Structures are given as C-alpha cells and as structure tokens.
Amino acid sequence: MAYFVCRLFFYFSNIGYFQTVNTFDLIADCFYGLRTDSFSIVVSNSLFILLSILPSNFFSGRPYQILLKSLFVICNTVFIAVNCIDIAYFPFIRKRSSADLFKQMGGQSDMSKLIPQFLKDFWWAVLFFVAIIVVLVYFYNRIKLKPIITKYSFSKPKQWALITLMFVLSAGFGVLAVRGGLQRVPITIVEAGSVTSIEEVPIVLNTPFTIIKSMEVEAIAEYNFYSPDELKSIYNPVRHYKDSEFKKQNVVVLILESFAKEYTKLGRISYTPFLDSLMDHSLVCSNAFSNGSKSIEGIPAILSSLPTFMENPFINSLYALNDQTSIASILSAEGYQTAFFHGGINGTMNFDSWASLAGYQAYYGKNEYNDNSDFDDFWGIWDEPFLKYSVKKMNSFKQPFHTAIFTLSSHHPYKIPEKYKNKFPKGDLENSESIGYADYSLKQFFNAAKKTDWYNNTLFVLTADHGSVSKHPFYTNVVGNQGIPILFFVPDNLLKKDHKKVFSQMDILPSVMDLLGYNRPFFSFGESFRSKEYGNDYFYASSTEFLFNDSMLYCFKMPILSATYQYTKDSTLSQPITGKYNNLDSIELHRSRAFFQTYNSTLIHNTGKLK
C-alpha cells in the first residue's frame, strides 16, 4: 500500500508532466506497477521475512522482536526515502533515478549545504515521507502475528515438514516477486515501456526498482547487426575535413546551466535579451537538442562528442577511463593552451577529474577562485563574478587557447545575488529570475571580453548542458524538454545563419573542427552542421534509445523499434503511429542499429580515439 500511495503522490505532484494521462491510464499504470513494487518490497524486506518465519523457540523474547521491528522500519525507510526523493527530483531529469544518483551525491563536496536546501525547498515531499513512515510503524505495532509453530522439536516430523514447506513457499513467492513473474528472464527497467506509453513509464516504475536494476547493468551489450565493412558503410565516426585550411582561432565554449530553448526567443517566452541579441549575429541551430538530461551527461557530449546511451553517465561508468577525443585533446596537440572553468565546488560530479582525462591542462573551480565573498552558499561562485574571473585568467593565456566555461547560477534552487532582486522578469516558472541573471552575467562576460586582445580571434560556442523545468505540454515531453539553444559566434559576424536541421550536443565538436578548418582525421559520434547528411539526435532514458529527426520520434529497445511518434503534429506524444510509414521506420531502424553498434563497440573496446 505504501508504494501505491507513493505512486499516486508522485503522479499528482508532477501531473503537469503527464497531461495526456487519464484516470483509466493511471489505474492501468498502478496495476502494471505491482510487478516493480513486489520486487522492491521483497528485496527491502528479505532479511525481515527470513527472520520472521523462523520458529519462535529459536529466537524469542523482546530483544528479538525489537530487532525485527528495527529491520522493518530501517529498510523500508531507506527504500521509501528514495521514492520520495524522485517525487521532487523528477521535474529536473524527467525519469526515475538510477544508481548514478548515489555516485553524483558522492561527487558533491558540500552536502551539508545542499541537503538542508533541498529539505527546505521540498518540505512537502519530506512531510509526505514522514507521514508514510509513521503510518507504517503504526500498523506494524497494531498487527500481531502469532507463530504457526511456537516450539520446534526434531522428534516431530510433521513440524519439520511444515517448517520446510513454509520456507519453500516463502522462498518461492520471494523469487517470483523478484523475477517479476514466470517469464523466462527477470523483469527489467525496459519492461515498463512494453506495457505503457513513453510518457507514463515513470508512473509504472518505482525508484528503488530502477536504482537496484541499474546497479546490475554495468557493462553494455555488444551488438553484431552488421559486419565491420557493412557498419562503416552505414555509419562511420571518423571525420576528416581534408580540403580545409586550419585557422588557429581561440575557441571558447560557454555551457549554460539548465538553459532550455523555451526560455529564449527560439521558444515560448524569452528571459534572455542578451542571448537573443547574440543570435542575430550567429550561426544559430534553431532545432537543437541535448543528448542527456543531466549536467554529468551533457558535459562529455558537448566537449567530447561522447553522449551517454546507458544507465550510468559516462563519467561514472565502467568506461570513464577510456581514451576520448575532445576539443581539448585535438587542440592541445596543435599547441593550444586549454582550461576548464566551473565555479562549482571542486569535485562536483567529478568534473575536475573528467576534465583532466579529456585533455584539459588546467581546471579552475571555486578553490582557484579563492574568494568566498562571491559564494552563493549552495553550488559555488555566482555567474557574474566567475565569468569575469574567467576573462581575466584567459588574458594571461598564450594564444591560441581553448576554454570550456560552465555556469551554475541558473540551477535549482535558482538563487540570485541579493543586489539583483526584482531586477529580472518573474514569469510563470520558478527559475525565470535566475535565467535572467545568467543572461545578464553572460552580457558582462562579453563586455569584458571585447576589451581583450584575443576577442576578435575567437570562435565562441554557446549551448546548455540540458533543459529544465516547464509547464508547457510540449516542453515537458521527451522531445521538447531536450530542446536547447546552440549557437556559434565570431566577432566579425561571418557566421550569421539559421541552421534548421536537427542538431545536437555531440555535433558541436565536429562543427568546431570544421569551422576552424582542422584538416586531420579525428573521431566523433556527431557530425558537422555542414556535412550532416541526416538531421537527427539520439537520446537515452529509461532503458530506451530515442531518435529525433525533423518531425519524428523513434523509440527503440535495441534491436527493435518499439514506437514512432510524429511530434510536430502530436506534441504530447499520445498517438503512436508505429507502422504507418513502414519504409521510414525501416530506414531509421537500420541507421540506428548501425549507430548503437558503433557506440557500444567503441566503449567496450576503447576505440574512441584515433591512434
């Protein structure tokens, strides 16, 4: 019952993200969810169940009953707690959390500040959690179970047989619950997608289930859909702009935290006057998407063309130590000075460690900034002072250089400096002021950069790590929520263009190399905007591989195409059209199999960098 109530509370707390779900759908999802709930209940209470069926003369008395009660309360508290965390966390990642939740928490250096803030902001989820636990303890105390056998004797075969039967039945029901039924293989996260729509998958699942199951999924599968020669003819990740002339421009990549396309003039309502003005003089990818839903997924996709298409983010995966081709590794070999800037607390999500592995020669975080008067008391240094600090540091760099600068002030809890209160528009979303502040900080960055001797010789790339909160039906679904701004700007305005084909974060690296005229072969999962044959973007969530193109969304459970939607006409993804255009479905399945075979093989065999 506790899991059923949690599911209902999860649904109603996030009802804006399930706008096409009617009462019948909700009932069906709750029914399908019984399989995942049974799994979580049995796993969390397995030791309690085992100790409860032992004959009472083995373990009797008050101390043993206290032990049983403690086991029941502690185990269920932990499992229900992660369920309640996702009630509040879901709007930020649009899926149930997986095992990487704990790895990310482990990567935060100042949990003493983060946890109190989350408790304050999501007090209603905390209150619900406390109420659930209180009710569980109440009913535990009220229900009195008498043992079937109060005393066991080896001289009574009937008792032996009865106890054996109890163990066999308990074990049998336990195995059945953990397997999720009598099917050939145990239930997995993927199963949810086969019984409901994409939008409703998080309702069917529960968070303890997804965390435990994602712990099991460490290595990715190696696909063999095509022979090596066939594979290369369909999809080849080696890029080579051999007819180009390499221009050693500086490259500055600005990554804006939680900066959805919706908040700019490309979307529903703009809070970004400066970014909008910059778009008027830039190569704007007006149909751009992120390859992930979290910062830890976005950074490698942007800087190394290395998206995450597995349960654990690449940075926390088995393959984190793989060789990788990044903007930094390519340009360092050409004599560039490289650095990664992030105003966050050093160690956050292991970005400092990843930056070193990706080839960045220096990392500048909160420690290097070394002035706590600009600390936001939560994530790190406010955007405005840290961006100005970045400009000052770059003034000391030898040209050409490449820097990646990751902002943070537009992240939850959406705080802005006290002196800017009421300066920026307050829209219908809680993050509107923080988006306005981040845009203002970006303007100050460019104002400072214009005064430097390196500005006119610099290619600027601006993008977001992922989308963020929304109340709009389109921007809350799996397509719209991935929509982000991506633009390329040079001070002479020679890049002014609207690129309307689908473009994604993993296309940034090859596009930068193309714009620089880099003429050596390199490895990249993405393609330059100039040579991109097909407008598409891949994304992964809830054990499903997604492909967006200019009008369609394809959902795969590799190697099978499970659903197709025409999102330009069905913005809420409520009307699957799988099979309506069989020829197109077949073509995209063919391409996607080749892409994911290449991706998995690259990670498994560590071949993501040309030797």
Side-chain angles (χ1 to χ4, degrees), residues 230-246:
E230 288 175 321
L231 185 63
K232 191 172 290 188
S233 68
I234 305 167
Y235 175 77
N236 185 356
V238 177
R239 314 297 171 200
H240 192 186
Y241 312 122
K242 54 187 175 183
D243 296 326
S244 302
E245 182 179 348
F246 186 31

Side-chain angles (χ1 to χ4, degrees), residues 25-68:
D25 293 332
L26 180 59
I27 293 171
D29 291 339
C30 289
F31 175 75
Y32 293 134
L34 290 175
R35 294 175 73 194
T36 61
D37 290 352
S38 298
F39 172 93
S40 299
I41 291 168
V42 170
V43 170
S44 61
N45 291 283
S46 55
L47 184 56
F48 171 79
I49 294 169
L50 174 64
L51 296 181
S52 295
I53 62 177
L54 291 174
S56 63
N57 67 316
F58 279 102
F59 301 99
S60 59
R62 182 173 175 79
Y64 188 66
Q65 295 306 312
I66 292 174
L67 171 65
L68 283 179

Side-chain angles (χ1 to χ4, degrees), residues 44-45 48 65-81 129 132-138 140-141:
S44 61
N45 291 283
F48 171 79
Q65 295 306 312
I66 292 174
L67 171 65
L68 283 179
K69 181 179 178 180
S70 299
L71 271 175
F72 178 84
V73 172
I74 292 171
C75 293
N76 283 286
T77 295
V78 171
F79 274 59
I80 290 172
F129 163 68
I132 284 283
I133 300 305
V134 169
V135 171
L136 271 181
V137 173
Y138 173 78
Y140 183 93
N141 292 331

Side-chain angles (χ1 to χ4, degrees), residues 530-542:
R530 285 176 175 159
S531 57
K532 199 170 176 67
E533 186 175 357
Y534 311 108
N536 55 37
D537 170 42
Y538 289 99
F539 171 64
Y540 183 91
S542 301

Side-chain angles (χ1 to χ4, degrees), residues 252-296:
V252 175
V253 181
L254 289 150
I255 305 168
L256 307 175
E257 173 67 62
S258 306
F259 226 81
K261 172 182 176 179
E262 179 186 4
Y263 314 145
T264 73
K265 72 175 185 177
L266 300 174
R268 183 173 64 92
I269 183 171
S270 178
Y271 301 107
T272 60
F274 176 74
L275 186 63
D276 292 349
S277 69
L278 202 62
M279 289 182 189
D280 294 335
H281 306 281
S282 304
L283 165 62
V284 179
C285 300
S286 55
N287 203 12
F289 296 91
S290 64
N291 294 114
S293 58
K294 293 181 284 190
S295 303
I296 199 171

Side-chain angles (χ1 to χ4, degrees), residues 193-249:
S194 64
V195 297
T196 191
S197 68
I198 300 168
E199 181 187 19
E200 297 169 50
V201 164
I203 303 175
V204 173
L205 297 170
N206 65 68
T207 306
F209 176 82
T210 56
I211 287 176
I212 293 170
K213 284 296 179 178
S214 62
M215 286 177 177
E216 299 172 1
V217 185
E218 289 289 348
I220 54 178
E222 182 155 19
Y223 299 131
N224 293 289
F225 306 131
Y226 308 101
S227 69
D229 289 339
E230 288 175 321
L231 185 63
K232 191 172 290 188
S233 68
I234 305 167
Y235 175 77
N236 185 356
V238 177
R239 314 297 171 200
H240 192 186
Y241 312 122
K242 54 187 175 183
D243 296 326
S244 302
E245 182 179 348
F246 186 31
K247 306 182 294 291
K248 289 196 172 184
Q249 287 179 291

